[in-house]
Amino acid sequence: MNHAQKAEIFNKNEAKVNWHDKALWYVREKRDNAAHGVKGWEQLRDLASGVKAHVLSNLDELLIEFETNAQKNGITVHWASNAEEHNKIINKILTEKNAKKVVKSKSMLTEECHLNPYLESKGFEVVDTDLGEYIVQIAKETPSHIVLPAIHKTKEEVDTLFQEHLGTKPSDGNPEYLTNEARKHLRTKFLTADVAITGVNFAIAETGGFVVCTNEGNADMGAHLAKTHIACMGIEKLIPKEAHLGIFLRLLARSATGQPITTYSSHFNKPTEGSEMHIVIVDNGRTEQLSREDFRSSLHCIRCGACMNTCPIYRRSGGHSYDATIPGPIGSILSPGKDLTKHSSLPFASTLCGSCSNVCPVKINIHEQLYKWRQIITKDVEQPVVKKTILKMTGKVFSKPKFYGLAGRSVRFMLKYAPRFLVYSKLNAWGKARELPQIKNGNFDQWYKEKRSK
Amino acid sequence: MGREEILNSVRKNKPELLPLPEINADLFNEDIDLLSGFKEKVPLVGGTIKQLTSPKDIDNEITMMYPNATNIVNRTQVSSLGTVSISDKTQPKDLEDVDLAILRGTFGVAENGAIWISEEQFYIRALPFITNDLLIILDKKDICQNLHEAYELISKRKRTFGLFISGPSKTADIEQCLVIGAQGALSLTVLLI
Ligand code: SF4
């Protein structure tokens, strides 16, 4: 099933889609407020982008510097070329530690490597401890958003799940009650876990340390209570100096949820006496993406989720419709790099309005990269796969290169007009039930005709 | 496993060296009152903040705020309310029933209401998370403007474990409703002296 077909399924529940759309837009607005409150926000984004570009151009040296410094501090460093090696390394550590119970905090990388099913098949108990991830884990689903994993679930659905798995009383989905029940349950998991696995938000070459950001405190509860802490990171998580955290931590939470900073920004440099700290550095397709000049900067991503919250397609199609670990605009650039045939419909799941690029804290030109993938896909992938479902919808607009040229030059203009047209027109699934809205000062068709005749 | 393969692949695929931009902290300087900025931010991130007129009031204030706390770990010189002592022998799991932890904060950050605390202050890494409630005592002079200044301030520290903490543990994972008290401490109180 391609993206549009999956989106159609998500759109069957109109009320839920509307809620999803609104809830994410609200997060986007909170992001705007937070960003506007920072003097020099645009300069911060420029700096972040510049630092990340430097990192990619010097990644081998920085990785070695990071490894050396981490080892000096007593951290064991492992390297994995792909998901399989990553999972095997973790299995080996767990086996050596004679571990049975594992608690995990949010890590999109371990999702990407399908670590949970792998470990479960080896007989380990694995519990996701971020509340949203815990919900999707017991629902036997995957996260539908990288920051808000359970955004696709209603509180009533969570209520039912908790009754089943935690024996809670029916509460009509009372968030306080349910959160507190999860807290109690997860406490027992933290207290009895042998190993904690966390992600890494930033790894610092200069110090060999790493930073993990959460709001719930679950990464820390795991890491400090278990005797062994394994932190998994993609090679692109590196930054040169600790002072650069000043840039990235100012941007991350504001872009993600509109908070000025996450509740906990934990700086790990050394294991405590009697404990072990491991870092697994993973490639899994990243160096290949590094080789693609047009798509290289997608590796700047700090996983804030802002591009998802702002995307009119994402908001009305839901994260699962992308059928990829990282959904939304950035996922639609990353996924085709991994499997072009499977993910060939994703670069078309966009209006190319450019809103994603406008909010991205590390200034990835997301919509331009989406357009570049489209050109490759229409050339490389067998036409019928693409054509039937995608060109039908986008063909009108995008078969005219001149039109795109115009859009590229006046993104602001497109931002105002294009999304509405493309989202709500009858040509696609995302806005099927919607009517084409009136646009101030005339309508889109008229505007388009005028432009076309020029 | 993987190391040489990854490094070689990076070498082969990376672009030409691009310069590392300098941070010009002046760009981000704002003419704000640090203390009032910080005092505004703490409640916004879900915390409670109180300014005391005299350090002598600390214990009274804490007792008033947490009348039911019995298992208290105090890691400061300015309070005498501690009932549970911790040492090298303490296992993180032993702290399961701690009601309240009292810590000293290194400094606060006006832009985000965060406070830097480090292992030296809490000794057992799990303490600020596993405790039911957390109270941080901060000198009102020790507030910096933003994270750029903050990283300057911690650049010379002994690097073991430390964190910026901003408010109590929270989540909005159930239908985006903000709930205070997820997996970490249920509340955070800042006492300014
Ligand atoms: S691409 Fe940019 S906006 Fe999207 S998640 Fe990554 S950093 Fe955030």
Side-chain angles (χ1 to χ4, degrees):
Chain A
M1 249 195 287
N2 65 31
H3 176 267
Q5 287 160 334
K6 291 206 163 197
E8 205 161 338
I9 298 173
F10 186 70
N11 270 266
K12 282 197 174 123
N13 186 342
E14 173 93 9
K16 195 169 173 180
V17 175
N18 287 341
W19 181 85
H20 189 264
D21 184 7
K22 270 206 217 98
L24 289 171
W25 185 250
Y26 177 61
V27 182
R28 155 77 209 261
E29 286 178 328
K30 286 198 292 185
R31 172 258 169 221
D32 290 349
N33 284 338
H36 294 155
V38 174
K39 189 187 162 208
W41 178 260
E42 288 307 314
Q43 282 97 329
L44 261 186
R45 289 176 72 212
D46 284 332
L47 270 174
S49 174
V51 170
K52 283 285 184 176
H54 165 82
V55 166
L56 295 181
S57 76
N58 194 31
L59 192 54
D60 50 333
E61 300 290 331
L62 290 169
L63 282 167
I64 293 169
E65 186 187 347
F66 173 72
E67 179 190 40
T68 313
N69 288 325
Q71 285 169 341
K72 261 190 226 155
N73 287 330
I75 301 175
T76 313
V77 180
H78 311 259
W79 301 72
S81 299
N82 51 41
E84 195 191 337
E85 283 182 21
H86 164 266
N87 293 350
K88 279 192 178 149
I89 289 166
I90 291 177
N91 180 39
K92 189 159 171 271
I93 302 170
L94 296 187
T95 312
E96 276 168 14
K97 296 284 119 200
N98 209 358
K100 292 191 175 55
K101 298 177 173 198
V102 179
V103 285
K104 266 182 72 210
S105 72
K106 198 147 69 207
S107 148
M108 292 319 292
L109 175 64
T110 59
E111 289 288 338
E112 172 187 324
C113 294
H114 303 293
L115 179 67
N116 283 17
Y118 172 85
L119 291 182
E120 278 157 8
S121 77
K122 303 272 173 204
F124 298 105
E125 179 195 282
V126 186
V127 180
D128 276 313
T129 59
D130 169 87
L131 180 59
E133 291 222 314
Y134 178 73
I135 292 168
V136 297
Q137 186 185 34
I138 59 177
K140 301 201 168 47
E141 292 177 4
T142 54
S144 72
H145 187 291
I146 59 175
V147 174
L148 320 163
I151 186 77
H152 60 289
K153 285 253 172 278
T154 63
K155 55 187 193 310
E156 291 79 15
E157 287 169 333
V158 177
D159 200 303
T160 314
L161 276 168
F162 277 27
Q163 289 176 39
E164 220 174 280
H165 291 265
L166 298 179
T168 54
K169 297 188 300 258
S171 74
D172 285 333
N174 179 325
E176 276 91 18
Y177 169 70
L178 295 171
T179 301
N180 195 43
E181 289 301 305
R183 174 186 164 95
K184 285 195 262 175
H185 174 73
L186 291 171
R187 282 250 145 170
T188 64
K189 297 296 172 188
F190 288 124
L191 288 165
T192 52
D194 304 302
V195 172
I197 298 177
T198 72
V200 167
N201 288 91
F202 304 97
I204 301 103
E206 174 191 37
T207 66
F210 59 95
V211 171
V212 182
C213 304
T214 73
N215 276 324
E216 298 186 8
N218 58 313
D220 287 282
M221 282 296 282
H224 306 312
L225 281 162
K227 280 274 175 223
T228 304
H229 173 189
I230 308 174
C232 304
M233 61 176 267
I235 51 172
E236 82 284 13
K237 293 286 162 184
L238 223 55
I239 56 172
K241 298 188 183 310
E242 196 179 64
H244 295 132
L245 287 168
I247 305 170
F248 291 104
L249 292 190
R250 297 191 77 195
L251 289 166
L252 178 62
R254 289 187 173 95
S255 300
T257 58
Q259 295 170 260
I261 188 171
T262 47
T263 301
Y264 305 102
S265 309
S266 296
H267 296 53
F268 294 85
N269 284 91
K270 248 188 195 161
T272 44
E273 279 282 315
S275 304
E276 282 183 25
M277 212 178 260
H278 297 257
I279 291 177
V280 189
I281 302 174
V282 185
D283 180 348
N284 205 32
R286 285 163 178 76
T287 55
E288 213 180 321
Q289 192 80 334
L290 186 65
S291 74
R292 302 180 180 119
E293 204 184 332
D294 285 342
F295 304 108
R296 182 176 291 144
S297 72
S298 60
L299 295 169
H300 293 188
C301 177
I302 57 170
R303 304 284 190 261
C304 73
C307 57
M308 293 157 210
N309 305 338
T310 201
C311 178
I313 304 291
Y314 176 89
R315 279 186 277 119
R316 293 203 64 86
S317 59
H320 287 152
S321 64
Y322 294 79
D323 201 10
T325 307
I326 311 278
I330 181 66
S332 301
I333 304 172
L334 295 171
S335 309
K338 299 211 148 153
D339 185 341
L340 191 57
T341 314
K342 179 181 173 200
H343 299 296
S344 67
S345 68
L346 294 187
F348 296 88
S350 165
T351 65
L352 299 187
C353 67
S355 182
C356 46
S357 308
N358 285 339
V359 296
C360 177
V362 287
K363 287 200 133 169
I364 303 172
N365 57 337
I366 306 173
H367 71 298
E368 290 170 19
Q369 296 191 29
L370 287 167
Y371 180 62
K372 285 184 176 144
W373 270 126
R374 290 183 184 187
Q375 291 172 308
I376 293 170
I377 289 164
T378 37
K379 250 200 347 258
D380 288 3
V381 176
E382 242 185 286
Q383 284 304 302
V385 185
V386 182
K387 241 182 196 161
K388 258 193 270 149
T389 50
I390 298 150
L391 292 186
K392 197 167 60 181
M393 163 198 122
T394 48
K396 264 196 182 166
V397 177
F398 297 109
S399 63
K400 296 192 169 37
K402 254 199 201 143
F403 178 91
Y404 181 73
L406 177 91
R409 273 198 303 278
S410 64
V411 170
R412 262 173 210 291
F413 191 86
M414 288 297 285
L415 193 62
K416 195 167 166 199
Y417 293 94
R420 294 180 156 242
F421 166 68
L422 286 168
V423 175
Y424 300 125
S425 80
K426 297 218 171 64
L427 291 167
N428 69 58
W430 309 298
K432 232 173 194 171
R434 296 305 190 88
E435 304 221 319
L436 192 67
Q438 280 297 310
I439 293 161
K440 263 187 236 155
N441 319 319
N443 62 42
F444 183 90
D445 282 332
Q446 195 185 332
W447 171 80
Y448 179 51
K449 268 183 216 136
E450 276 168 27
K451 293 291 159 193
R452 203 170 43 173
S453 61
K454 273 181 192 161
Chain B
M1 200 167 28
R3 186 179 187 276
E4 285 319 304
E5 201 181 325
I6 295 172
L7 290 174
N8 285 334
S9 182
V10 170
R11 285 180 196 119
K12 199 174 82 205
N13 295 326
K14 68 176 183 177
E16 249 174 67
L17 188 66
L18 293 164
L20 180 61
E22 292 283 323
I23 305 176
N24 175 4
D26 292 346
L27 282 176
F28 309 109
N29 264 335
E30 278 176 88
D31 194 18
I32 54 158
D33 183 84
L34 297 179
L35 182 62
S36 58
F38 182 74
K39 280 160 80 176
E40 263 169 45
K41 278 284 155 32
V42 173
L44 285 182
V45 295
T48 308
I49 185 161
K50 282 209 169 155
Q51 192 170 342
L52 301 182
T53 40
S54 156
K56 285 196 220 94
D57 301 337
I58 290 176
D59 281 353
N60 266 341
E61 190 64 42
I62 298 177
T63 318
M64 245 157 46
M65 295 180 87
Y66 297 98
N68 302 319
T70 47
N71 297 329
I72 301 175
V73 177
N74 168 37
R75 295 280 309 153
T76 73
Q77 306 292 319
V78 288
S79 167
S80 56
L81 294 176
T83 58
V84 178
S85 58
I86 52 178
S87 70
D88 327 345
K89 305 236 159 41
T90 311
Q91 291 298 311
K93 292 175 176 106
D94 302 341
L95 303 175
E96 188 189 348
D97 297 320
V98 171
D99 299 312
L100 177 67
I102 304 170
L103 306 177
R104 199 69 201 225
T106 313
F107 60 84
V109 187
E111 70 157 321
N112 54 26
I115 299 169
W116 176 262
I117 52 175
S118 69
E119 191 165 14
E120 281 136 60
Q121 283 139 346
F122 42 81
Y123 205 65
I124 304 290
R125 291 186 186 184
L127 180 62
F129 310 96
I130 200 169
T131 178
N132 208 61
D133 295 294
L134 178 62
L135 187 134
I136 298 179
I137 298 170
L138 189 68
D139 195 314
K140 62 177 185 295
K141 292 192 305 297
D142 295 331
I143 293 168
C144 69
Q145 181 174 197
N146 56 33
L147 284 180
H148 306 297
E149 283 182 22
Y151 278 102
E152 199 49 55
L153 290 171
I154 55 171
S155 61
K156 304 253 150 47
R157 76 187 189 280
K158 209 171 115 209
R159 288 188 173 79
T160 57
F161 175 75
L163 69 147
F164 288 109
I165 179 167
S166 167
S169 128
K170 47 186 147 325
T171 181
D173 275 339
I174 301 177
E175 273 199 12
Q176 284 297 289
C177 300
L178 179 69
V179 179
I180 303 279
Q183 323 316 339
L186 294 174
S187 78
L188 172 72
T189 300
V190 184
L191 288 188
L192 286 171
I193 54 169

